[in-house]
Amino acid sequence: MGIFKKRNEYFYESFVELSTLSLNTYECLVKGIKEFNHDNILELKNSVHELEHQADLKKREIEEKLAKEFITPISREDIFLLLDLIDDLTDSIDEISYKIYIRDYKILPSDLDPFIEKGIVAIKGLIDIFMNFKDISNKKVMDPLVNVVLNCEEETDQLYETKVHSLYVNKDKYDYEYVRMSERIYSYFENITDKCRDVVKQIIIVMYKNI
């Protein structure tokens, strides 16, 4: 195997590894939410943060290797940007457990499953894109993969709008604290798909640079 091919594979595999760490962090968060117990919110925060920290360490390792490489499969700037955007995604997942802890939520909205599923679809969509990154210049391969994430982000925006509107239309059924808490939690999950969209926007830029 040629040296250049090995370099390609290292950086492409690194994108897969980092986005998979994002998924692992998200799955840890989801497990804690599905089994939510106020007595365990510190444990939830620490468990999610530990995985986010592992992702940080991996990102630094990749960046150190990138700094030493003379030839890269795509521009050095694009690699750095993609690494940062994946890191932003993982940070946004970590932020949910952090805010659940510092705001000392006693309960969570009972209807989070649709948001949770959208997050899983979007993050797995990113992994699929990176697993096919060798075909970054092939729109026939990339466009359907990219559209999975972009469509998921748009659907999550609509879900957020519908859920928050319903909260306020039916606010007489809930106390103010529940309405405010629910709106915030919905927004945290809506932000996950926004971060996935941001990664995809940069991927599209890379794709057009390499066509």
Side-chain angles (χ1 to χ4, degrees):
M1 184 183 293
I3 292 175
F4 186 68
K5 187 173 181 181
K6 285 182 179 178
R7 285 169 177 158
N8 282 3
E9 289 186 356
Y10 173 78
F11 288 111
Y12 294 164
E13 288 170 0
S14 294
F15 292 143
V16 173
E17 187 169 358
L18 274 185
S19 52
T20 300
L21 284 169
S22 292
L23 179 61
N24 292 345
T25 307
Y26 189 72
E27 288 176 338
C28 179
L29 171 69
V30 168
K31 183 176 184 294
I33 285 175
K34 286 185 178 290
E35 300 171 355
F36 185 74
N37 182 332
H38 172 260
D39 293 338
N40 297 333
I41 58 174
L42 176 59
E43 181 182 345
L44 172 61
K45 177 186 76 73
N46 289 341
S47 298
V48 173
H49 185 67
E50 175 58 31
L51 290 170
E52 184 272 338
H53 180 62
Q54 290 177 26
D56 276 345
L57 294 177
K58 183 62 185 177
K59 176 176 178 277
R60 287 176 206 153
E61 176 188 316
I62 298 165
E63 288 174 336
E64 287 174 6
K65 185 170 180 64
L66 178 59
K68 297 173 184 176
E69 286 292 340
F70 182 69
I71 299 173
T72 55
I74 58 176
S75 79
R76 194 182 305 273
E77 179 185 7
D78 286 330
I79 294 174
F80 272 119
L81 282 171
L82 285 169
L83 294 176
D84 278 343
L85 289 168
I86 299 169
D87 182 59
D88 287 346
L89 167 60
T90 310
D91 286 346
S92 71
I93 297 166
D94 183 42
E95 186 178 12
I96 296 176
S97 61
Y98 174 73
K99 286 186 173 176
I100 287 172
Y101 172 72
I102 62 167
R103 289 179 171 152
D104 195 36
Y105 288 131
K106 305 293 193 298
I107 60 170
L108 298 178
S110 60
D111 55 352
L112 284 177
D113 281 355
F115 287 99
I116 288 170
E117 290 306 313
K118 294 297 183 188
I120 290 171
V121 170
I123 299 170
K124 286 185 174 179
L126 285 182
I127 295 171
D128 286 342
I129 294 171
F130 287 127
M131 288 182 71
N132 288 275
F133 220 65
K134 65 183 184 300
D135 293 314
I136 187 63
S137 61
N138 188 336
K139 280 177 60 62
K140 288 184 179 179
V141 173
M142 286 290 114
D143 281 354
L145 298 173
V146 159
N147 286 337
V148 168
V149 180
L150 294 180
N151 291 340
C152 183
E153 187 272 333
E154 289 180 3
E155 291 165 3
T156 309
D157 284 350
Q158 288 296 318
L159 177 64
Y160 173 79
E161 180 181 312
T162 300
K163 289 289 190 183
V164 174
H165 177 69
S166 178
L167 277 174
Y168 284 93
V169 166
N170 298 292
K171 62 179 183 247
D172 292 343
K173 296 180 181 179
Y174 313 109
D175 62 39
Y176 174 77
E177 288 303 319
Y178 182 84
V179 171
R180 183 63 181 140
M181 177 273 295
S182 296
E183 182 178 1
R184 281 174 168 170
I185 299 290
Y186 295 157
S187 73
Y188 302 158
F189 278 92
E190 189 263 344
N191 188 48
I192 299 295
T193 54
D194 284 349
K195 295 298 183 182
C196 292
R197 174 208 57 203
D198 293 344
V199 179
V200 164
K201 282 184 173 180
Q202 185 60 35
I203 289 169
I204 292 170
I205 291 171
V206 173
M207 180 173 69
Y208 278 99
K209 282 182 180 180
N210 288 276
I211 288 177

